[in-house]
Amino acid sequence: VKPQTDVNDVVLAAIEREQERIGRRLHEKVCQTLAGISIQAGLLTNKAQRGESIDAEQLQQLTQHTQQAIEEVRAVSRELRGGNLAQDGLIESLANLSEITAREVPCEFLCEQPVFVRDPAAEKSLLCIAEESIRNAVQHGAPGKIIISLTRSQGEVTLKIRDDGTGFTPPSDDETAKGIGLMYRRARVAGAHLNITSNRRSGTTVSCTWAEGA
Amino acid sequence: MNDKPTTRSLRILLVENHADTLRWLTLYLEDLGHIVTAAKTVGEAVVALKTQRFEVLVSDIGLPDGTGWELLAQANLLQAPYAIAMSGFGMNADHLRSREAGYRHHLLKPFKTAELDKVLAEAAAQPTS
């Protein structure tokens, strides 16, 4: 898997992919929840207008759905701000990513010892690489499971994202290739080394190693 | 005061794959006195359209096995019901595509129930065959 050469193409493609993904998420989650709330409110209004009593349970459900919509909007807002990396740190952010991913595909986050990355730019790059790897795995690899691991050994921090999916060799489409190109660039800018291995039988492993002082 | 457009009871096929929206919309329509049959996929909806008679089709556009736009073409009915599309996408192109597919209205989610009431009143005013 080789990086792309045109930086502008890669960046533009990444922006468009992200816009499309967020738009899809707003449509599939937030709009549906709000649609349900609007219909529930209409139903209760009709009952009230007819002078019928309103079920406390229905009001409770309306409150729950409103809260759900608030949480969905917060989650999108948080993603748009690039997560709360500065507040949560890399370990917590990766744990959140694992939790969100597990809603679609079984996903586990392994981090046996606390790992601290003192360079905020490197930390951000590692998180972005994890997000992109998971997006690729979910969209193209049909994985049964994804494992995210973060380890530290002899001054080197290694982030791995492994899946047991169908892999991609070569990248299955132009957009994927551009996304992978962006991952290589992120790693290089942060002074990290990125390696991607992928085949149809054993899935894909994305490994990014960052050495302290790089 | 209830200023809801008056309408007669309609036989409605409701196509929606989002469980909560389907549930609440079914309850809402039944509360208005309509007879509702629910479908979650294009496949289920096509079977329902071919085997039962409906006066109104209310369908989501994004469905797991296709689109609401494909639904009417696949059903290939001599006389299609009064069709109302629902979608989170409301660009001009989406409205146009709904119209070309045979939908009379394209409701943008989340819509006010008053909008649905209005188009159902229009459907009820259509001559029955």
Side-chain angles (χ1 to χ4, degrees):
Chain A
V1 180
K2 290 180 182 172
Q4 296 289 299
T5 51
D6 191 325
V7 178
N8 289 335
D9 278 2
V10 169
V11 171
L12 278 175
I15 291 168
E16 284 168 8
R17 272 155 53 98
E18 196 60 7
Q19 283 176 335
E20 193 190 325
R21 190 180 65 79
I22 291 166
R24 201 168 45 240
R25 188 160 167 194
L26 283 170
H27 167 67
E28 288 170 1
K29 299 273 183 184
V30 183
C31 277
Q32 292 285 16
T33 307
L34 290 174
I37 289 169
S38 176
I39 296 159
Q40 275 176 271
L43 178 66
L44 297 181
T45 304
N46 288 353
K47 281 179 184 282
Q49 283 175 335
R50 291 195 301 258
E52 293 175 15
S53 65
I54 292 173
D55 205 332
E57 192 188 341
Q58 286 187 324
L59 281 174
Q60 201 175 17
Q61 284 175 349
L62 186 60
T63 308
Q64 279 172 0
H65 285 139
T66 307
Q67 193 57 42
Q68 187 184 330
I70 291 167
E71 282 167 17
E72 285 165 2
V73 170
R74 273 194 187 138
V76 173
S77 162
R78 186 174 162 145
E79 274 187 42
L80 285 171
R81 286 186 284 113
N84 281 341
L85 189 56
Q87 183 187 314
D88 297 340
L90 185 60
I91 293 175
E92 189 65 28
S93 296
L94 288 172
N96 285 339
L97 179 62
S98 169
E99 198 180 311
I100 291 165
T101 305
R103 292 174 196 163
E104 292 182 70
V105 176
C107 184
E108 198 177 344
F109 174 51
L110 307 174
C111 181
E112 290 176 0
Q113 301 287 332
V115 176
F116 299 104
V117 177
R118 289 179 180 80
D119 179 344
E123 209 173 32
K124 172 81 177 163
S125 292
L126 288 169
L127 180 60
C128 288
I129 286 166
E131 288 170 343
E132 183 68 30
S133 304
I134 287 171
R135 263 201 293 280
N136 285 337
V138 172
Q139 283 177 8
H140 305 294
K145 185 167 187 178
I146 297 173
I147 296 173
I148 308 167
S149 65
L150 187 68
T151 55
R152 184 189 188 91
S153 174
Q154 297 176 336
E156 283 190 344
V157 172
T158 301
L159 168 74
K160 273 190 190 173
I161 298 94
R162 288 173 285 157
D163 73 67
D164 58 358
T166 53
F168 53 92
T169 319
S172 51
D173 60 55
D174 195 40
E175 288 301 300
T176 307
K178 285 176 180 172
I180 288 170
L182 194 64
M183 285 162 64
Y184 274 103
R185 281 172 206 287
R186 280 191 185 282
R188 197 160 59 231
V189 168
H193 175 73
L194 183 71
N195 185 48
I196 303 175
T197 56
S198 183
N199 70 57
R200 292 195 178 279
R201 274 175 293 184
S202 59
T204 301
T205 299
V206 176
S207 176
C208 187
T209 304
W210 177 77
E212 206 158 34
Chain B
M1 180 190 148
N2 191 341
D3 53 1
K4 196 174 296 303
T6 52
T7 180
R8 62 187 169 82
S9 174
L10 296 163
R11 289 184 300 279
I12 299 175
L13 174 62
L14 174 60
V15 192
E16 170 64 78
N17 66 309
H18 188 266
D20 280 340
T21 308
L22 179 66
R23 178 173 164 239
W24 287 107
L25 208 41
T26 302
L27 285 173
Y28 181 81
L29 293 169
E30 286 177 347
D31 186 66
L32 292 178
H34 302 303
I35 300 155
V36 181
T37 299
K40 291 178 183 168
T41 62
V42 170
E44 284 178 20
V46 168
V47 170
L49 283 169
K50 282 179 178 288
T51 54
Q52 298 171 61
R53 195 169 161 276
F54 298 99
E55 294 159 285
V56 178
L57 165 71
V58 180
S59 179
D60 191 18
I61 293 300
L63 294 163
D65 57 343
T67 66
W69 295 316
E70 294 161 354
L71 169 55
L72 282 173
Q74 283 188 29
N76 194 23
L77 302 170
L78 283 174
Q79 191 181 0
Y82 190 96
I84 301 161
M86 306 181 288
S87 171
F89 298 109
M91 307 285 281
N92 282 342
D94 301 309
H95 284 268
L96 187 63
R97 204 160 166 198
S98 287
R99 196 157 282 269
E100 284 171 354
Y103 286 91
R104 307 283 284 268
H105 296 277
H106 180 108
L107 299 180
L108 177 62
K109 283 183 182 174
F111 50 81
K112 292 178 188 168
T113 49
E115 293 176 59
L116 181 61
D117 296 342
K118 191 177 163 207
V119 296
L120 287 174
E122 277 184 35
Q126 297 289 305
T128 52
S129 57

